Short mmCIF file of all heavy atoms in Angstrom, two decimals:
data_model
loop_
_atom_site.label_atom_id
_atom_site.label_comp_id
_atom_site.label_asym_id
_atom_site.label_seq_id
_atom_site.Cartn_x
_atom_site.Cartn_y
_atom_site.Cartn_z
N PHE N 14 15.20 -5.75 47.43
CA PHE N 14 15.59 -7.15 47.28
C PHE N 14 16.79 -7.35 48.04
O PHE N 14 17.73 -6.63 47.96
CB PHE N 14 15.87 -7.27 45.77
CG PHE N 14 16.04 -8.73 45.29
CD1 PHE N 14 15.01 -9.67 45.32
CD2 PHE N 14 17.24 -9.04 44.89
CE1 PHE N 14 15.24 -10.86 44.87
CE2 PHE N 14 17.52 -10.32 44.50
CZ PHE N 14 16.47 -11.34 44.60
N LEU N 15 16.71 -8.43 48.90
CA LEU N 15 17.80 -8.75 49.81
C LEU N 15 18.30 -10.27 49.50
O LEU N 15 17.44 -11.11 49.59
CB LEU N 15 17.47 -8.65 51.26
CG LEU N 15 18.49 -8.91 52.29
CD1 LEU N 15 19.58 -7.92 52.30
CD2 LEU N 15 17.90 -8.99 53.74
N CYS N 16 19.41 -10.37 49.22
CA CYS N 16 20.18 -11.80 49.00
C CYS N 16 21.01 -12.02 50.21
O CYS N 16 21.85 -11.19 50.55
CB CYS N 16 21.00 -11.83 47.69
SG CYS N 16 20.06 -11.59 46.18
N THR N 17 20.89 -13.25 50.80
CA THR N 17 21.70 -13.65 51.88
C THR N 17 22.22 -15.08 51.61
O THR N 17 21.50 -16.03 51.55
CB THR N 17 20.93 -13.64 53.23
OG1 THR N 17 20.29 -12.36 53.44
CG2 THR N 17 21.76 -13.98 54.34
N PRO N 18 23.57 -15.21 51.54
CA PRO N 18 24.22 -16.48 51.20
C PRO N 18 24.06 -17.30 52.48
O PRO N 18 24.31 -16.86 53.62
CB PRO N 18 25.59 -16.16 50.91
CG PRO N 18 25.95 -14.89 51.43
CD PRO N 18 24.61 -14.15 51.51
N LEU N 19 23.84 -18.66 52.38
CA LEU N 19 23.80 -19.54 53.47
C LEU N 19 24.94 -20.59 53.31
O LEU N 19 25.08 -21.38 52.34
CB LEU N 19 22.46 -20.39 53.52
CG LEU N 19 21.18 -19.55 53.43
CD1 LEU N 19 19.98 -20.40 53.37
CD2 LEU N 19 21.13 -18.67 54.60
N SER N 20 25.97 -20.46 54.17
CA SER N 20 27.20 -21.25 54.01
C SER N 20 27.30 -22.07 55.34
O SER N 20 27.07 -21.64 56.39
CB SER N 20 28.40 -20.38 53.80
OG SER N 20 28.24 -19.63 52.61
N VAL N 21 27.87 -23.23 55.14
CA VAL N 21 28.27 -24.17 56.29
C VAL N 21 29.68 -24.60 56.11
O VAL N 21 30.08 -25.17 55.15
CB VAL N 21 27.35 -25.46 56.15
CG1 VAL N 21 27.80 -26.34 57.35
CG2 VAL N 21 25.90 -24.99 56.39
N GLU N 22 30.51 -24.21 57.10
CA GLU N 22 31.96 -24.42 57.14
C GLU N 22 32.60 -24.03 55.94
O GLU N 22 33.39 -24.74 55.31
CB GLU N 22 32.22 -26.02 57.31
CG GLU N 22 31.67 -26.54 58.75
CD GLU N 22 31.91 -27.95 58.92
OE1 GLU N 22 32.39 -28.68 57.99
OE2 GLU N 22 31.77 -28.48 60.07
N GLY N 23 32.30 -22.81 55.49
CA GLY N 23 32.90 -22.23 54.25
C GLY N 23 32.36 -22.71 53.00
O GLY N 23 32.80 -22.17 51.97
N GLN N 24 31.47 -23.58 53.01
CA GLN N 24 30.87 -24.15 51.71
C GLN N 24 29.45 -23.54 51.48
O GLN N 24 28.63 -23.60 52.42
CB GLN N 24 30.84 -25.66 51.79
CG GLN N 24 30.31 -26.23 50.46
CD GLN N 24 30.25 -27.76 50.51
OE1 GLN N 24 30.75 -28.41 51.43
NE2 GLN N 24 29.77 -28.37 49.47
N LEU N 25 29.21 -22.97 50.25
CA LEU N 25 27.98 -22.39 49.92
C LEU N 25 26.90 -23.57 49.96
O LEU N 25 27.03 -24.45 49.05
CB LEU N 25 28.03 -21.71 48.67
CG LEU N 25 26.74 -20.92 48.16
CD1 LEU N 25 26.42 -19.83 49.09
CD2 LEU N 25 26.87 -20.42 46.80
N LEU N 26 25.87 -23.34 50.71
CA LEU N 26 24.79 -24.26 50.69
C LEU N 26 23.58 -23.79 49.82
O LEU N 26 22.90 -24.47 49.11
CB LEU N 26 24.27 -24.60 52.05
CG LEU N 26 23.11 -25.55 52.25
CD1 LEU N 26 23.62 -26.96 51.93
CD2 LEU N 26 22.62 -25.58 53.76
N GLY N 27 23.21 -22.45 49.99
CA GLY N 27 22.19 -21.87 49.22
C GLY N 27 22.17 -20.36 49.46
O GLY N 27 23.14 -19.73 49.89
N LEU N 28 21.15 -19.80 48.87
CA LEU N 28 20.94 -18.31 48.85
C LEU N 28 19.51 -18.02 49.19
O LEU N 28 18.55 -18.50 48.56
CB LEU N 28 21.31 -17.85 47.48
CG LEU N 28 21.47 -16.32 47.38
CD1 LEU N 28 22.64 -15.75 48.14
CD2 LEU N 28 21.69 -15.95 45.97
N LEU N 29 19.30 -17.25 50.23
CA LEU N 29 17.94 -16.83 50.71
C LEU N 29 17.56 -15.48 50.06
O LEU N 29 18.39 -14.49 50.14
CB LEU N 29 17.84 -16.67 52.17
CG LEU N 29 16.52 -16.25 52.82
CD1 LEU N 29 15.41 -17.25 52.48
CD2 LEU N 29 16.66 -16.07 54.30
N HIS N 30 16.44 -15.32 49.34
CA HIS N 30 15.99 -14.16 48.74
C HIS N 30 14.81 -13.63 49.45
O HIS N 30 13.83 -14.36 49.82
CB HIS N 30 15.59 -14.45 47.24
CG HIS N 30 16.65 -15.22 46.42
ND1 HIS N 30 17.72 -14.54 45.97
CD2 HIS N 30 16.60 -16.41 46.02
CE1 HIS N 30 18.47 -15.39 45.26
NE2 HIS N 30 17.80 -16.59 45.29
N LEU N 31 14.78 -12.36 49.70
CA LEU N 31 13.60 -11.60 50.35
C LEU N 31 13.44 -10.28 49.47
O LEU N 31 14.42 -9.66 49.21
CB LEU N 31 13.83 -11.36 51.74
CG LEU N 31 14.08 -12.43 52.79
CD1 LEU N 31 14.42 -11.88 54.13
CD2 LEU N 31 12.82 -13.29 52.78
N GLY N 32 12.16 -10.02 49.19
CA GLY N 32 11.86 -8.85 48.47
C GLY N 32 10.46 -8.45 48.79
O GLY N 32 9.63 -9.17 49.11
N ASP N 33 10.19 -7.11 48.64
CA ASP N 33 8.83 -6.59 48.83
C ASP N 33 8.01 -6.84 47.57
O ASP N 33 6.79 -6.77 47.56
CB ASP N 33 8.80 -5.09 49.32
CG ASP N 33 9.47 -4.15 48.21
OD1 ASP N 33 9.63 -4.60 47.14
OD2 ASP N 33 9.67 -3.03 48.65
N GLY N 34 8.61 -6.97 46.43
CA GLY N 34 8.04 -7.29 45.17
C GLY N 34 7.27 -6.21 44.50
O GLY N 34 6.79 -6.33 43.45
N ALA N 35 7.10 -5.06 45.27
CA ALA N 35 6.22 -4.02 44.63
C ALA N 35 6.87 -2.66 44.85
O ALA N 35 6.33 -1.73 44.30
CB ALA N 35 4.91 -4.00 45.36
N GLY N 36 8.01 -2.55 45.51
CA GLY N 36 8.74 -1.34 45.64
C GLY N 36 8.08 -0.41 46.54
O GLY N 36 8.27 0.78 46.53
N THR N 37 7.21 -0.92 47.51
CA THR N 37 6.59 -0.08 48.50
C THR N 37 7.04 -0.37 49.92
O THR N 37 7.29 -1.54 50.29
CB THR N 37 5.07 -0.26 48.48
OG1 THR N 37 4.81 -1.67 48.76
CG2 THR N 37 4.48 0.06 47.15
N GLY N 38 7.14 0.69 50.73
CA GLY N 38 7.62 0.49 52.12
C GLY N 38 9.03 0.33 52.28
O GLY N 38 9.82 0.10 51.25
N ASP N 39 9.57 0.26 53.57
CA ASP N 39 10.90 0.06 53.85
C ASP N 39 11.16 -1.10 54.70
O ASP N 39 12.07 -1.20 55.50
CB ASP N 39 11.47 1.35 54.50
CG ASP N 39 11.54 2.55 53.61
OD1 ASP N 39 11.84 2.39 52.43
OD2 ASP N 39 11.22 3.64 54.19
N ALA N 40 10.28 -2.20 54.57
CA ALA N 40 10.43 -3.33 55.48
C ALA N 40 11.74 -3.92 55.39
O ALA N 40 12.33 -4.36 56.48
CB ALA N 40 9.31 -4.26 55.01
#
């Protein structure tokens, strides 16, 4: 599971989540 904050000029806009969902592979 990878969380990446999205900020513009120091202000938090959002958070992008990426995950394999199954615990398989090293993508």
Side-chain angles (χ1 to χ4, degrees):
F14 187 70
L15 182 66
C16 292
T17 304
L19 307 179
S20 300
V21 177
E22 297 182 352
Q24 182 176 356
L25 180 67
L26 182 67
L28 192 66
L29 179 63
H30 308 284
L31 295 175
D33 62 16
T37 57
D39 294 321

